[in-house]
Amino acid sequence: MQKLYSGKTKDVYLADDGNVLLYFKDSVTGVGDKIDSGANEVIGEVAGKGHSSFSLTLMFFDLLHKAGIPTHFISVGPEDNTMLVKRARSLNLEVICRKKAWGSFVRRYGAYVCEGQALPSLVEFTLKDDDRGDPLITDDALVALNIASRQDIDYMKETARRATDLISGYLADRGLELIDIKYEFGVIDGKTMIIDEVSGDSMRVVKDGKVLLQNELYEALLGR
């Protein structure tokens, strides 16, 4: 297989049939020696982390599919921690849905909001641009720069909120609280849908006042 891209937490390969194989790695991102899934620098590896990300993505994709929310998922891949997906044209955006104020949101708007304050499934768009710190971008700028159409923006907002409500409810039933979550969207055969992954790397989940790491979320939901 041809390697298309080596990312921070996944390697991406082009399959013989034109689809894409994702390999989930054990690498973790962070700042200094502190693991932070929202950071842009790989700081090391945690054994089993790739399996956790892969397994949680399988679970959440299945949850979305059963609710009628399409993703690019096709099947489990031939090797451990691999997934076969449809090849998509990424919009190079992170679509963040916030249930509570936390992290960068509080750093930006701390004069107006307190950490933990409830938010109405607030959706924000950021560019996937490590060199510029993944900057926020407005709806109008997305349209003006031909990154996304109004129709695509409306779909991404609606789908992000719908998926977030679904995942938040699933977690709440298991004693876990979803704080915020990010999605990546891509275009496949002219249709915009959720791509990439939905795992502990893409959400902030709290249990007993503590934000869970990827492996801890896996243990809480799928630990055997």
Side-chain angles (χ1 to χ4, degrees):
M1 284 187 183
Q2 175 190 353
K3 180 183 280 190
L4 296 175
Y5 177 70
S6 183
K8 293 185 283 286
T9 60
K10 289 187 298 298
D11 288 337
V12 181
Y13 297 87
L14 180 63
D16 294 338
D17 60 2
N19 291 309
V20 167
L21 188 77
L22 304 181
Y23 169 63
F24 292 76
K25 302 189 288 189
D26 283 345
S27 55
V28 294
T29 58
V31 178
D33 59 356
K34 183 178 180 181
I35 295 173
D36 180 354
S37 61
N40 289 325
E41 182 180 351
V42 174
I43 61 171
E45 293 188 350
V46 172
K49 188 264 182 179
H51 179 70
S52 298
S53 299
F54 164 76
S55 300
L56 288 170
T57 296
L58 276 183
M59 186 194 75
F60 286 123
F61 274 179
D62 183 60
L63 188 68
L64 295 178
H65 285 178
K66 287 177 178 176
I69 300 174
T71 76
H72 67 161
F73 175 77
I74 298 174
S75 67
V76 172
E79 306 292 337
D80 289 346
N81 304 330
T82 63
M83 180 181 296
L84 191 66
V85 301
K86 295 177 183 177
R87 191 174 189 180
R89 176 177 64 82
S90 175
L91 296 176
N92 290 318
L93 296 172
E94 288 184 346
V95 183
I96 305 164
C97 190
R98 300 184 184 276
K99 302 288 285 184
K100 286 191 171 182
W102 210 279
S104 62
F105 190 86
V106 176
R107 289 193 293 274
R108 287 197 306 270
Y109 308 121
Y112 308 95
V113 70
C114 297
E115 183 173 275
Q117 183 174 324
L119 298 172
S121 293
L122 176 69
V123 175
E124 295 182 312
F125 293 94
T126 67
L127 296 176
K128 293 190 66 170
D129 187 335
D130 290 353
D131 292 339
R132 292 171 175 80
D134 299 332
L136 282 168
I137 186 167
T138 65
D139 294 11
D140 286 347
L142 287 171
V143 174
L145 298 176
N146 294 315
I147 295 172
S149 67
R150 292 284 181 191
Q151 182 178 2
D152 280 339
I153 292 167
D154 290 344
Y155 174 80
M156 287 188 284
K157 284 184 172 181
E158 177 186 355
T159 302
R161 290 188 177 112
R162 185 179 168 202
T164 298
D165 286 346
L166 181 69
I167 292 170
S168 178
Y170 182 89
L171 294 172
D173 288 344
R174 290 152 181 81
L176 305 172
E177 181 181 18
L178 180 65
I179 300 298
D180 49 39
I181 183 169
K182 62 185 177 183
Y183 305 94
E184 185 174 345
F185 284 79
V187 180
I188 301 171
D189 297 329
K191 183 175 178 60
T192 302
M193 64 183 67
I194 292 173
I195 62 170
D196 196 40
E197 67 179 282
V198 179
S199 73
D201 272 346
S202 55
M203 65 184 72
R204 197 176 342 236
V205 178
V206 168
K207 181 179 182 181
D208 299 328
K210 178 182 180 295
V211 177
L212 300 183
L213 298 176
Q214 172 78 276
N215 286 3
E216 293 171 332
L217 181 59
Y218 170 81
E219 287 297 324
L221 294 174
L222 296 172
R224 305 288 191 256

